[in-house]
Coordinates of all heavy atoms in Angstrom, one line a residue:
V57 N -11.3 -14.8 -3.3 CA -11.2 -16.2 -3.9 C -12.5 -16.9 -3.5 O -12.7 -17.1 -2.4 CB -10.0 -16.9 -3.3 CG1 -9.9 -18.3 -3.9 CG2 -8.7 -16.1 -3.6
F79 N -9.0 -13.9 -7.4 CA -7.6 -14.2 -7.4 C -7.3 -15.7 -7.4 O -8.3 -16.5 -7.3 CB -6.9 -13.5 -6.2 CG -6.7 -12.0 -6.5 CD1 -7.8 -11.2 -6.4 CD2 -5.4 -11.5 -6.7 CE1 -7.6 -9.8 -6.5 CE2 -5.2 -10.2 -6.9 CZ -6.3 -9.3 -6.8
H81 N -5.1 -16.9 -5.0 CA -4.7 -17.0 -3.5 C -5.1 -15.9 -2.7 O -5.0 -14.7 -3.2 CB -3.1 -17.2 -3.4 CG -2.7 -17.7 -2.2 ND1 -2.7 -16.9 -1.0 CD2 -2.3 -18.9 -1.8 CE1 -2.2 -17.7 0.0 NE2 -1.9 -18.8 -0.4
E82 N -5.7 -16.2 -1.5 CA -6.3 -15.1 -0.8 C -5.4 -14.0 -0.3 O -5.7 -12.8 -0.1 CB -7.0 -15.7 0.5 CG -8.2 -16.6 0.2 CD -7.8 -18.0 -0.1 OE1 -6.6 -18.3 -0.2 OE2 -8.7 -18.9 -0.2
Q83 N -4.1 -14.4 -0.1 CA -3.1 -13.4 0.4 C -3.0 -12.3 -0.7 O -3.0 -11.1 -0.3 CB -1.8 -14.0 0.6 CG -0.8 -13.1 1.4 CD 0.5 -13.8 1.7 OE1 1.5 -13.5 1.1 NE2 0.5 -14.6 2.7
N84 N -3.0 -12.6 -1.9 CA -2.9 -11.6 -3.0 C -4.1 -10.8 -3.1 O -4.1 -9.6 -3.3 CB -2.6 -12.3 -4.3 CG -1.3 -13.1 -4.1 OD1 -0.3 -12.7 -3.5 ND2 -1.4 -14.3 -4.7
A85 N -5.3 -11.4 -2.9 CA -6.6 -10.7 -2.9 C -6.6 -9.7 -1.7 O -7.1 -8.6 -1.9 CB -7.7 -11.7 -2.8
G86 N -6.1 -10.1 -0.6 CA -6.1 -9.3 0.6 C -5.1 -8.0 0.4 O -5.5 -7.0 0.7
Y87 N -3.9 -8.4 -0.2 CA -3.1 -7.2 -0.4 C -3.7 -6.2 -1.4 O -3.6 -5.0 -1.3 CB -1.7 -7.7 -1.1 CG -0.8 -8.4 0.0 CD1 -0.1 -9.5 -0.3 CD2 -0.7 -7.8 1.2 CE1 0.8 -10.1 0.6 CE2 0.2 -8.4 2.2 CZ 0.9 -9.6 1.9 OH 1.7 -10.2 2.8
A88 N -4.4 -6.8 -2.4 CA -5.1 -5.9 -3.4 C -6.1 -5.0 -2.7 O -6.2 -3.9 -2.9 CB -5.8 -6.8 -4.5
C102 N -11.9 -7.8 1.0 CA -11.5 -9.1 0.5 C -12.4 -10.1 1.1 O -12.7 -10.1 2.2 CB -10.0 -9.3 1.1 SG -9.3 -10.9 0.7
G109 N -8.7 -20.5 3.8 CA -8.8 -19.2 3.0 C -8.7 -18.0 3.9 O -8.0 -17.1 3.6
L111 N -7.2 -17.8 6.9 CA -5.8 -17.7 7.3 C -4.9 -17.2 6.3 O -4.1 -16.3 6.5 CB -5.3 -19.1 7.8 CG -5.8 -19.6 9.1 CD1 -5.3 -21.0 9.4 CD2 -5.4 -18.6 10.3
N112 N -5.1 -17.5 5.0 CA -4.3 -17.0 3.9 C -4.6 -15.5 3.8 O -3.7 -14.7 3.4 CB -4.8 -17.6 2.5 CG -4.2 -19.1 2.4 OD1 -3.3 -19.4 3.2 ND2 -4.7 -19.8 1.5
G113 N -5.8 -15.1 4.1 CA -6.1 -13.6 3.9 C -5.6 -12.8 5.1 O -5.4 -11.6 5.1
L114 N -5.3 -13.6 6.2 CA -5.0 -12.9 7.4 C -3.7 -12.1 7.4 O -3.5 -11.1 8.0 CB -4.9 -13.9 8.5 CG -5.3 -13.5 10.0 CD1 -6.6 -12.8 10.0 CD2 -5.3 -14.7 10.9
T115 N -2.6 -12.6 6.7 CA -1.4 -11.9 6.6 C -1.6 -10.5 5.9 O -1.1 -9.5 6.5 CB -0.4 -12.7 5.6 OG1 -0.5 -14.1 6.0 CG2 0.9 -12.1 5.6
A116 N -2.5 -10.5 4.9 CA -2.7 -9.2 4.3 C -3.6 -8.3 5.3 O -3.3 -7.1 5.3 CB -3.5 -9.3 3.0
V462 N 7.2 -6.4 3.6 CA 6.7 -7.7 3.4 C 6.9 -8.0 1.9 O 6.8 -7.2 1.0 CB 5.2 -7.7 3.8 CG1 4.4 -6.8 2.9 CG2 4.7 -9.1 3.7
M463 N 7.4 -9.2 1.6 CA 7.4 -9.8 0.3 C 6.1 -10.4 -0.1 O 5.5 -11.1 0.8 CB 8.5 -10.8 0.2 CG 10.0 -10.4 0.4 SD 10.4 -9.1 -0.8 CE 10.7 -7.7 0.2
G464 N 5.7 -10.3 -1.3 CA 4.5 -10.9 -1.8 C 3.4 -9.9 -2.1 O 2.3 -10.3 -2.7
I465 N 3.6 -8.6 -2.0 CA 2.5 -7.7 -2.3 C 2.5 -7.4 -3.8 O 1.5 -6.9 -4.3 CB 2.8 -6.3 -1.7 CG1 4.2 -5.8 -1.8 CG2 2.4 -6.3 -0.2 CD1 4.5 -5.0 -3.0
G468 N -0.7 -8.6 -6.2 CA -1.9 -8.2 -5.6 C -2.1 -6.7 -5.7 O -3.1 -6.2 -6.2
F492 N 6.4 -15.0 -4.7 CA 5.4 -15.1 -3.6 C 4.0 -14.9 -4.2 O 3.0 -15.2 -3.5 CB 5.7 -13.9 -2.6 CG 6.9 -14.3 -1.7 CD1 8.2 -14.0 -2.1 CD2 6.6 -14.8 -0.3 CE1 9.2 -14.3 -1.3 CE2 7.7 -15.1 0.4 CZ 9.0 -14.8 0.0
E496 N -0.5 -15.0 -9.9 CA -1.5 -14.0 -10.2 C -1.3 -13.4 -11.6 O -2.0 -12.6 -12.1 CB -1.6 -13.0 -9.2 CG -1.9 -13.4 -7.8 CD -3.2 -14.2 -7.6 OE1 -4.1 -14.0 -8.4 OE2 -3.3 -14.8 -6.5

Side-chain angles (χ1 to χ4, degrees):
V57 178
F79 284 73
H81 191 285
E82 292 86 353
Q83 191 176 105
N84 305 318
Y87 286 140
C102 175
L111 286 173
N112 286 344
L114 209 50
T115 311
V462 67
M463 293 297 117
I465 49 88
F492 289 79
E496 303 298 345

